[in-house]
Amino acid sequence: MSAWASKYVIGLTGNIATGKSVVRKMLEHLGAYGIDADALTHRALAKGAPGYKPAITTFGTWILGPDGQIDRTRLSRVVFSDPEALQLLEQIVHPLVEEAIDILVRRSKQSVIVIEAIKLLESNLQSYCDSIWVTYVHPETQLSRLIQKRGMDEVAARVRINAQ
């Protein structure tokens, strides 16, 4: 039973480029309220947001771009190649994302909620779900999608797949 009365919560997870967003959008089309935890993570690290200063304190000012925003490419090079760095980032971001999800679910008028989160099973979010759905594709399909659709080179794509 979900943590939210009168809500049925589907936790949607899977590795990068396995189709999570497509499944979430399909469920939204059917009337569910979709929440993208990755988008909330980006917002939590935006300049002026609650995770901005802790991230800079933890990783240094070198992660900032010329506009003062956190350069996600720079940050991702570190966190996806160093499990300890990833864990530090998650300690900053996960509580903020969970708080945002709680607010969004409580405000939602829909009774079915879909929480798309790549780290659903590794976080507290799984305990809020009535059902957990996992997307999967063959690793070579993931690799192809990351190279073709996201413009990653093969080495970066493999690092990201293996880190997640």
Side-chain angles (χ1 to χ4, degrees), residues 43-55 92 96 99:
R43 289 183 191 147
L45 293 173
K47 190 173 183 178
Y52 180 80
K53 285 184 181 179
I92 295 167
L96 299 172
E99 182 180 356

Side-chain angles (χ1 to χ4, degrees), residues 61-114:
T61 56
W62 70 272
I63 65 171
L64 296 177
D67 60 356
Q69 292 286 354
I70 292 174
D71 183 322
R72 291 185 6 230
T73 302
R74 291 181 189 175
L75 183 58
S76 69
R77 279 191 208 118
V78 173
V79 300
F80 291 118
S81 62
D82 179 354
E84 290 179 20
L86 181 59
Q87 186 176 21
L88 289 172
L89 180 62
E90 289 173 350
Q91 288 171 356
I92 295 167
V93 173
H94 282 186
L96 299 172
V97 170
E98 287 181 27
E99 182 180 356
I101 288 171
D102 181 57
I103 291 167
L104 291 170
V105 171
R106 290 180 192 283
R107 290 182 179 172
S108 170
K109 303 226 183 297
Q110 290 94 326
S111 60
V112 177
I113 310 294
V114 180

